[in-house]
Amino acid sequence: MILEKVINRIEIQSEYKDFVDKYIDHILAEFKGKIHSIYMCGSIPKGTATPFKSDADFTIVCVNPKDIDYERLSNIKDRLLKEYPFITKIDTIICSIDDVLSKPNEWGFWVKIICVCMYGHDIGEKVPPIIISPTFILDLNTETKEEVDRVRRSLSTASDHTMKTRYIKGYSKRLIRALYSLVLIDTCVWEDDIIEMKNAILTYCEIDSALIDYLYACYLDNNVLVEEFLGIAEKVYSYFENALNAMAASRTPLD
């Protein structure tokens, strides 16, 4: 089964169009000649964004990610967040052309399936069709442990309530996304709606449903006890890791 693109048509709501145009213009002006293409994913390009609740998710593809200075990028974000306060936050991922083409089941998947091209030539068109298989799922999760460890450390040391809430929401979504990847062979489609992910996990994963309900509740709540959350998150990740290892062990040469 071949994975289809999550967003087939860009339908940005009128109140977000000016913001998206300005972000792209600022990026191109700040990093002249260094940008290959710019992409978006999530609710804004889908046309389902909610003011003061939805964030903006961009991906920049360039020849050399080191050409994109994070401080200058952060300054652009800060200026735009002041100008458009209904955007909760702006996330920007940076990767290289080589990342996309040499890692089709990781960066290739992200650009080809999850994102839509907003500027430049869509390099996702050069990524071969992505076939759902144990190998794809394992490749997709190559960096999951590193990402989970990083956000766990950040949450453990965060002192600001706003940052704790942000890390908990991000950690919850990352774990739900990881678990959902395990059931792709059953669903045959990548969902980016967290409720659909949750429901599929509850249907196809042999995991305590209370753990998933708790993670989803933490994704929605602003007042979560950090120590309790970390304990539950550890149980969920342990289940995920064991399932991923079992998948790797049962792989056949054709997978």
Side-chain angles (χ1 to χ4, degrees):
M1 180 67 70
I2 296 175
L3 268 181
E4 300 293 335
K5 202 168 185 67
V6 170
I7 304 172
N8 292 310
R9 182 180 175 184
I10 300 172
E11 298 185 1
I12 300 176
Q13 296 139 288
S14 58
E15 61 266 42
Y16 290 92
K17 286 183 178 179
D18 188 53
F19 158 74
V20 173
D21 289 341
K22 280 194 177 180
Y23 175 93
I24 293 173
D25 289 344
H26 287 342
I27 292 296
L28 295 177
E30 188 71 32
F31 305 105
K32 287 182 179 178
K34 302 184 185 301
I35 305 297
H36 173 274
S37 44
I38 300 175
Y39 305 78
M40 288 195 79
C41 65
S43 60
I44 292 180
K46 286 176 69 177
T48 59
T50 302
F52 301 102
K53 289 186 178 181
S54 299
D55 54 12
D57 298 294
F58 292 92
T59 295
I60 294 174
V61 175
C62 53
V63 173
N64 184 4
K66 292 181 179 179
D67 288 336
I68 311 301
D69 182 79
Y70 276 90
E71 185 173 349
R72 290 158 63 191
L73 181 61
S74 182
N75 289 336
I76 293 173
K77 292 181 185 180
D78 291 342
R79 291 200 302 270
L80 289 176
L81 286 173
K82 288 180 181 178
E83 188 173 353
Y84 300 93
F86 56 87
I87 306 289
T88 56
K89 64 187 177 79
I90 301 172
D91 286 331
T92 302
I93 295 171
I94 303 170
C95 66
S96 71
I97 295 171
D98 183 61
D99 286 332
V100 177
L101 299 180
S102 66
K103 301 176 181 177
N105 287 347
E106 299 167 58
W107 285 109
F109 158 78
W110 178 257
V111 171
K112 183 181 183 70
I113 303 300
I114 304 298
C115 297
V116 288
C117 188
M118 308 299 297
Y119 165 83
H121 178 70
D122 186 358
I123 197 170
E125 293 177 355
K126 294 185 177 181
V127 177
I130 295 177
I131 300 172
I132 300 171
S133 68
T135 294
F136 164 66
I137 294 169
L138 291 166
D139 286 349
L140 184 61
N141 286 291
T142 299
E143 297 181 2
T144 298
K145 186 179 190 313
E146 181 181 335
E147 293 171 1
V148 166
D149 287 343
R150 183 170 60 247
V151 73
R152 184 193 296 120
R153 288 194 301 270
S154 298
L155 177 57
S156 299
T157 58
S159 56
D160 178 76
H161 176 72
T162 300
M163 292 307 297
K164 286 181 181 179
T165 298
R166 181 175 295 180
Y167 286 134
I168 286 172
K169 287 180 182 293
Y171 197 175
S172 300
K173 188 173 184 178
R174 189 65 189 87
L175 287 173
I176 289 173
R177 181 176 178 268
L179 288 173
Y180 181 76
S181 72
L182 297 177
V183 303
L184 275 175
I185 293 173
D186 300 295
T187 65
C188 299
V189 64
W190 183 268
E191 291 285 357
D192 66 346
D193 186 302
I194 195 166
I195 296 177
E196 295 297 330
M197 286 187 181
K198 178 178 80 80
N199 290 339
I201 292 166
L202 293 175
T203 300
Y204 297 109
C205 274
E206 296 179 359
I207 187 172
D208 186 348
S209 61
L211 296 177
I212 306 307
D213 289 335
Y214 177 86
L215 272 190
Y216 180 67
C218 289
Y219 173 76
L220 299 176
D221 196 0
N222 290 327
N223 296 292
V224 178
L225 296 175
V226 173
E227 288 189 7
E228 180 184 66
F229 172 80
L230 287 172
I232 297 296
E234 185 62 33
K235 290 181 181 179
V236 173
Y237 183 76
S238 179
Y239 171 89
F240 165 77
E241 190 171 47
N242 289 337
L244 204 66
N245 289 338
M247 182 180 292
S250 62
R251 240 185 337 176
T252 66
L254 294 179
D255 291 330

